[in-house]
Amino acid sequence: MEIIHHENYLSITTALTDLNEPNPTYSLRRIRAELLAATKDGPTSPQCDFISFRPISPDNLFEMIGTIVGPIGSPYEGGLFHFHLRIPPLYPDLPPVCTCMTKIWHPNIGPYGEVCLNILQDEWSQALSVRTVLLSISALLGDTGMAVEGGNAAYGFANVDAGEMLLENRAAFELAASDWTIIMID
């Protein structure tokens, strides 16, 4: 993850240096502030050592890649999970659209990477950020029971098969999630 943090730091600083917008929108100013906060401690001392994010291109701060390390003690331990975050023009009034780019066996992440998380739907707040979205997804990976205990009560499972397996046989679910993670590492 240290290499990812360093690469993302360089990508963010390049994007912020190249940004030459004479009248930036509120959304752009907010994204810049979030990126500046992510780099304030330098590449070797990120705000969180288990998540990182950067713009896909220095020309477009509205498309980002987020990386999450699989939480220790979870079936996802040892995995690196990449998420595409598309920031809408009305951000932070609207949440980012978040898609998992890494294959994963999880009730809240659908077969095409769609992420089902309450803060990405009706519980979004302007106080939240790209960083808090990634922290929330990391928490979801660390405690798959959150998918059952209210994380998905209103929406159903994004991955119905994973959700049913979790409800019927948690041990089998955790073995399957761990196996998927191992396959993605190799």
Side-chain angles (χ1 to χ4, degrees):
M1 190 66 171
E2 189 175 314
I3 292 170
I4 291 172
H5 281 304
H6 187 73
E7 289 173 352
N8 287 355
Y9 176 83
L10 293 175
S11 177
I12 290 170
T13 54
T14 300
L16 291 175
T17 303
D18 291 349
L19 189 63
N20 221 358
E21 188 78 27
N23 295 313
T25 63
Y26 178 72
S27 298
L28 186 56
R29 288 193 312 269
R30 169 69 182 264
I31 292 168
R32 278 177 55 181
E34 289 184 33
L35 292 170
L36 282 169
T39 61
K40 78 173 185 177
D41 295 328
T44 58
S45 182
Q47 288 181 333
C48 292
D49 59 354
F50 56 91
I51 66 166
S52 190
F53 60 95
R54 66 170 174 82
I56 290 177
S57 158
D59 301 340
N60 183 1
L61 302 186
F62 290 87
E63 299 278 337
M64 294 195 195
I65 296 289
T67 303
I68 299 174
V69 174
I72 295 170
S74 78
Y76 309 103
E77 182 174 350
L80 272 182
F81 301 92
H82 303 284
F83 293 84
H84 177 248
L85 295 112
R86 188 175 42 79
I87 313 296
L90 294 178
Y91 181 80
D93 292 333
L94 296 175
V97 175
C98 187
T99 308
C100 187
M101 299 165 48
T102 308
K103 282 291 209 187
I104 186 171
W105 184 250
H106 194 285
N108 290 66
I109 301 175
Y112 300 103
E114 59 278 17
V115 177
C116 185
L117 184 63
N118 57 355
I119 65 167
L120 293 174
Q121 277 105 14
D122 61 344
E123 293 186 29
W124 176 255
S125 160
Q126 286 186 351
L128 300 175
S129 65
V130 169
R131 180 176 175 271
T132 55
V133 167
L134 293 172
L135 286 170
S136 296
I137 294 170
S138 178
L140 201 60
L141 296 180
D143 181 8
T144 49
M146 287 174 60
V148 177
E149 296 166 4
N152 253 344
Y155 310 109
F157 293 117
N159 182 332
V160 174
D161 293 337
E164 288 176 357
M165 181 184 274
L166 176 64
L167 291 173
E168 293 168 8
N169 187 342
R170 188 177 185 107
F173 167 82
E174 289 183 358
L175 182 61
S178 180
D179 286 348
W180 278 48
T181 301
I182 290 168
I183 289 169
M184 296 315 297
I185 294 171
D186 295 337

